[in-house]
Amino acid sequence: MSLHPSLQSYADAWTHSIEAISELVQPLVEGEWNRRTPCPGWSVRDVVSHVIGLDCEMLGDPRPIHTLPRDLYHVTNEHQRYMEMQVDVRRHHTAPEMTSELEYTIIRRNRQLRNENRQPDTKVRGPLGTEVTLEQAMRNRAFDVWVHEQDLRAALGRPGNLDSPGALVVRDQLLAALPKIVAKDASAPANSAVVFDVHGPVEFLRTVRVDADGRGSIDGAPSLGPAATLALDWETFVRLACGRVHADAVSDRIKAEGDQELTAAILRSLTITP
């Protein structure tokens, strides 16, 4: 293997999730590809199209030249337009076309990963003409593919892999985003602390602390007298953080203690994208 060691966990997570997706969709009949997923506006076909499209971009393939319809209600900004292009261009593909393109893309990406000898800080193409490091790109792919595996599982009634390698990548990404969400987005008061107690297949107890200057940090030490505590299960945390559900719809699965205005503001701000 020529892959840099710091990239291996992302490659493993991507491989685990992409193979799970392939296994999920291989036996589907035509109508099942049209099932709605929790991902706003996207069917099973659309989610798989998105996964294929972004992995083709990781391979360096040119983006499709395609004009989007004007009536896509879920497309409201440039980032969504960018993501929709790879999806809409495949909207009329048949089930065999989808599974064969997915399989071919997996083969090509596995070959790319086997031969990958670039350093983690190498700049590669990112969305909307941006440049990101290879490490960021691979971490984002691992995050994205696991979240979309869960979208497909929800749509098809096939739960699983909530504690797979991809889930741990997602956990770390979501934890890294919490200080900004609490301190800046939810405007938690200076010198306060907010505790997140997540249980289930992936579990953690973390405290976000806001210093006197309003900056947030996160650690694993418990807090005495936090301003707020949020206790919820891992699956609900992921669904909230990835914008798959509103807090109101899962309020029975969230135990919020302390400052009610603060907990409401945190839950409103919790949506995170990779």
Side-chain angles (χ1 to χ4, degrees), residues 88 93-94 96 129 136 148 153 158 166 182 196 222 227 246 256 263 272:
D88 195 67
H93 286 197
T94 63
Q136 286 174 296
H148 289 310
R153 289 185 177 282
R158 296 275 306 279
V182 171
F196 290 84
H246 291 291
T263 56
I272 302 156

Side-chain angles (χ1 to χ4, degrees), residues 42-222:
W42 281 1
S43 65
V44 168
R45 178 185 282 99
D46 296 339
V47 167
V48 177
S49 295
H50 168 75
V51 168
I52 291 170
L54 288 198
D55 273 309
C56 285
E57 292 185 26
M58 288 290 286
L59 286 159
D61 293 358
R63 279 175 54 77
I65 298 170
H66 179 71
T67 302
L68 287 179
R70 295 186 179 183
D71 59 351
L72 297 174
Y73 73 91
H74 58 281
V75 178
T76 59
N77 57 47
E78 276 308 301
H79 184 265
Q80 289 169 345
R81 286 183 64 80
Y82 182 95
M83 293 301 176
E84 197 71 22
M85 202 72 78
Q86 295 278 14
V87 172
D88 195 67
V89 79
R90 294 175 174 83
R91 279 223 159 91
H92 300 293
H93 286 197
T94 63
E97 286 173 326
M98 293 298 299
T99 52
S100 62
E101 188 182 11
L102 177 62
E103 286 307 304
Y104 182 51
T105 304
I106 293 171
I107 290 167
R108 293 175 65 210
R109 282 280 283 135
N110 277 327
R111 185 186 304 131
Q112 181 188 39
L113 290 170
R114 280 197 305 273
N115 298 325
E116 183 61 81
N117 56 15
R118 292 175 292 180
Q119 290 299 304
D121 60 356
T122 303
K123 294 290 179 148
V124 299
R125 182 177 72 180
L128 292 167
T130 58
E131 277 197 340
V132 297
T133 66
L134 178 61
E135 185 170 10
Q136 286 174 296
M138 288 185 61
R139 183 168 58 234
N140 287 348
R141 289 308 301 130
F143 184 113
D144 192 59
V145 174
W146 183 83
V147 170
H148 289 310
E149 178 198 339
Q150 294 303 316
D151 286 333
L152 296 172
R153 289 185 177 282
L156 300 170
R158 296 275 306 279
N161 283 352
L162 282 166
D163 59 352
S164 67
L168 303 184
V169 174
V170 169
R171 175 202 61 193
D172 292 345
Q173 285 278 80
L174 298 183
L175 286 174
L178 288 180
K180 175 183 176 291
I181 287 168
V182 171
K184 184 178 179 183
D185 300 339
S187 301
N191 300 313
S192 67
V194 174
V195 173
F196 290 84
D197 184 0
V198 172
H199 56 273
V202 172
E203 57 183 33
F204 54 84
L205 181 70
R206 294 290 188 278
T207 303
V208 175
R209 303 179 194 277
V210 183
D211 67 16
D213 297 319
R215 288 189 296 263
S217 62
I218 189 167
D219 61 56

